[in-house]
Amino acid sequence: MKRKITLLQILFLCIFVAAGVYLVKYNYDRERTEEEMEYLQSLVKENSGATEQPDSISVVVENENGTETLGSQEEQYESNGMLTRYYSLYQQNNDMIGWIKIAGTKIDYPVMFNNTNNVYYLHRNFYKERNSAGMPYLDYQCDLGDWSDNLIIYSHNMKNGTMFHDLLEYQTVGFWENHKIVNFDTMYVRCEYEIFAAFRTAVGADDEFKYYEFVNAESKREFDEYVRECKERSLYDTRITPEYGETLLTLSTCSYNVNDERFVVVARQISKK
């Protein structure tokens, strides 16, 4: 006697196949992303071409244990004013507007920008190909030309530890104490930011903090209010309070603790060269 295949069994089979295809695609994207990022990082290192000079500028370099120390290097620039270390990448994709790095973490990536929406690089790689890992990208409302008061960068929290996964390490004050500095360079200048707050907020919650709506302060009062809210929500007191006129850097990723929760790290610019 032949066994009949029910509609429910067909449905379960389709779900099983779809889940398998998704898992294969996810793992493929993950491995490909890691390879691509290693390649891009190697290009930056190769193109930095900096040499020790007695009268050169000071820059942050990373030593073997992941901490940061000051070194002196002569930075190189192209004829158009762009930093040589990033120029070859920019030639491959001129949506690249900078590079973000936090020593002692895996965060060491190009930052992309699309001036029409915040969706384009959500699931696209550096080469604009579909990829679940996406790329770190600057909020489309931000303006590096006029230097918005708050530069907001988003990226996924990938389970393999890539993209902005390591931001969640800032849930502990001990990690912050040893990793206070974020390096976010544009194509033209190298910048350092000092982290002053780290907090969680859920999108759509009654007490949601809409940090993503603050790009430019209309007044000192509005700037101070944003800083105050960040510090009050912070998981620990850093005793650092940005002043009106300083550029802020806000880094955002999903935390997965509750539905639509975001983990946010906010810093102030302390050097620009």
Side-chain angles (χ1 to χ4, degrees):
M1 181 177 178
K2 294 183 178 180
R3 181 180 180 184
K4 292 183 179 179
I5 300 177
T6 66
L7 183 61
L8 186 60
Q9 287 174 319
I10 293 174
L11 179 60
F12 284 149
L13 179 62
C14 290
I15 293 173
F16 178 79
V17 172
V21 171
Y22 173 81
L23 185 61
V24 170
K25 177 66 165 57
Y26 177 84
N27 287 331
Y28 172 77
D29 285 349
R30 182 183 65 180
E31 292 178 5
R32 185 176 179 185
T33 297
E34 291 189 64
E35 291 174 358
E36 288 176 353
M37 292 304 103
E38 288 177 3
Y39 172 67
L40 296 176
Q41 290 162 7
S42 70
L43 286 181
V44 171
K45 186 175 181 180
E46 178 182 331
N47 294 330
S48 62
T51 56
E52 299 273 342
Q53 298 291 338
D55 299 322
S56 58
I57 61 174
S58 293
V59 297
V60 171
V61 295
E62 185 179 354
N63 60 30
E64 293 180 354
N65 60 14
T67 60
E68 296 177 342
T69 57
L70 290 177
S72 294
Q73 293 183 331
E74 183 68 27
E75 196 63 59
Q76 296 184 2
Y77 298 85
E78 297 298 307
S79 58
N80 61 4
M82 287 188 177
L83 289 157
T84 297
R85 63 177 60 224
Y86 305 128
Y87 187 58
S88 66
L89 276 67
Y90 177 81
Q91 289 178 305
Q92 296 181 54
N93 184 349
N94 57 21
D95 282 349
M96 177 180 167
I97 49 85
W99 190 281
I100 187 166
K101 180 174 182 176
I102 302 178
T105 75
K106 288 187 177 181
I107 299 174
D108 187 11
Y109 305 119
V111 178
M112 315 308 289
F113 179 71
N114 182 288
N115 62 5
T116 58
N117 60 64
N118 280 336
V119 178
Y120 190 82
Y121 281 101
L122 190 64
H123 296 298
R124 282 185 174 87
N125 65 11
F126 182 82
Y127 301 102
K128 301 184 180 181
E129 300 164 336
R130 296 293 297 181
N131 188 298
S132 59
M135 289 290 294
Y137 59 91
L138 183 71
D139 192 293
Y140 79 102
Q141 304 171 89
C142 296
D143 188 342
L144 280 177
D146 292 331
W147 284 91
S148 298
D149 295 316
N150 185 30
L151 303 174
I152 309 170
I153 300 177
Y154 308 95
S155 192
H156 288 299
N157 169 12
M158 300 301 291
K159 293 180 180 179
N160 66 338
T162 57
M163 297 301 135
F164 276 5
H165 175 82
D166 280 349
L167 280 188
L168 273 69
E169 297 290 344
Y170 285 102
Q171 293 179 97
T172 65
V173 66
F175 187 83
W176 167 78
E177 287 174 341
N178 293 305
H179 305 82
K180 297 179 182 180
I181 302 300
V182 178
N183 293 96
F184 173 48
D185 302 337
T186 71
M187 299 305 299
Y188 299 90
V189 292
R190 307 201 66 193
C191 304
E192 294 175 5
Y193 293 79
E194 181 182 39
I195 295 170
F196 71 88
F199 58 87
R200 305 185 194 94
T201 184
V203 176
D206 292 338
D207 64 343
E208 177 190 1
F209 176 27
K210 297 182 179 181
Y211 62 93
Y212 48 83
E213 293 184 349
F214 179 73
V215 174
N216 288 304
E218 296 296 328
S219 64
K220 179 180 184 300
R221 179 179 180 180
E222 186 175 342
F223 180 90
D224 291 344
E225 177 63 22
Y226 180 79
V227 170
R228 182 193 63 77
E229 185 79 10
C230 290
K231 288 178 63 65
E232 285 188 357
R233 289 175 176 265
S234 185
L235 299 174
Y236 40 82
D237 183 8
T238 63
R239 299 186 179 181
I240 299 170
T241 303
E243 298 181 357
Y244 182 57
E246 292 181 325
T247 300
L248 303 181
L249 177 66
T250 299
L251 309 180
S252 173
T253 194
C254 293
S255 68
Y256 301 123
N257 284 325
V258 298
N259 190 40
D260 287 331
E261 186 179 73
R262 304 291 185 267
F263 188 73
V264 184
V265 170
V266 192
R268 64 170 182 173
Q269 189 178 95
I270 56 174
S271 74
K272 179 179 176 182
K273 48 189 176 253

